[in-house]
Structure formats: C-alpha cells, structure tokens
Amino acid sequence: MNDSQSRDSDGATAPSESRNNFWPTEYSDLNFELPEELIATHPVQPADHARLMVINRQNGSINHTRFDKLAEILQNGDSIFYNATQVEARRVYLKKPDAE
C-alpha cells in the first residue's frame, strides 16, 4: 500500500483521493491491492446476502452492506445500476516485429 491509498473496512485498498472525489481522474487511481480472500469464487447463499457497495454522491462516502438491506437504503430519486457484463474467454497471440 502506498501513501496515496487507504484501506477500507474489508481490507481492500483504494486511492485516498478517490474516496473524496469518487470518479478517478488519473489512470494510477485505478491501481489498488485486492487480497485473494476478497475475490468471490462461489455465489453467496442465500443470494440476497451478496455484498452491496453504496456510494453517497453528495458527500463521497462509501458504505458496504448487503442486498437484503436495499429497501432500507433507497430513497425517492435514487438510481440503481445493474452491471450485466460478462467475461469472454479470449486469447491473443502476439509476435515481436524482430522475432522469427
């Protein structure tokens, strides 16, 4: 962890500047340490106990809770974003220009 990063309640590190101004402004703001034990390898059971990150855009605070608490968190006018992206298995073969 370097001087420009802080550790959140789950042990992951994130840039301090991004905590106050949520949207990263520098490419280096996207670099952070993620401990292996925080990477999900299986779905949580029950599903509504999955972790949920809540960002308050007015004050920049970030809170970690669970999806089963969503009804208590949402207020009139709030937005919900669903990320439906998937990782596709791809392989790229590269060759240096001076290689045979």
Side-chain angles (χ1 to χ4, degrees):
M1 187 162 66
N2 64 39
D3 292 340
S4 66
Q5 295 176 321
S6 63
R7 191 168 294 281
D8 71 11
S9 61
D10 289 326
T13 58
S16 302
E17 187 174 332
S18 294
R19 294 231 173 254
N20 299 327
N21 181 10
F22 179 73
W23 304 111
T25 56
E26 300 291 331
Y27 182 76
S28 61
D29 289 341
L30 301 174
N31 293 326
F32 59 92
E33 296 174 25
L34 181 60
E36 287 285 328
E37 64 270 12
L38 295 181
I39 300 174
T41 56
H42 297 77
V44 67
Q45 294 296 329
D48 67 351
H49 280 64
R51 292 174 49 191
L52 175 67
M53 181 172 70
V54 179
I55 302 168
N56 183 321
R57 292 182 63 191
Q58 275 123 12
N59 65 21
S61 66
I62 298 174
N63 296 303
H64 300 275
T65 186
R66 297 186 330 212
F67 270 93
D68 62 336
K69 308 289 185 200
L70 189 59
E72 301 166 20
I73 297 166
L74 289 177
Q75 297 178 5
N76 206 11
D78 284 349
S79 298
I80 298 176
F81 295 88
Y82 174 72
N83 181 352
T85 59
Q86 295 181 350
V87 175
E88 294 182 15
R90 298 283 184 221
R91 182 176 290 175
V92 178
Y93 294 95
L94 303 173
K95 188 175 180 181
K96 287 184 176 182
D98 59 346
E100 293 183 25

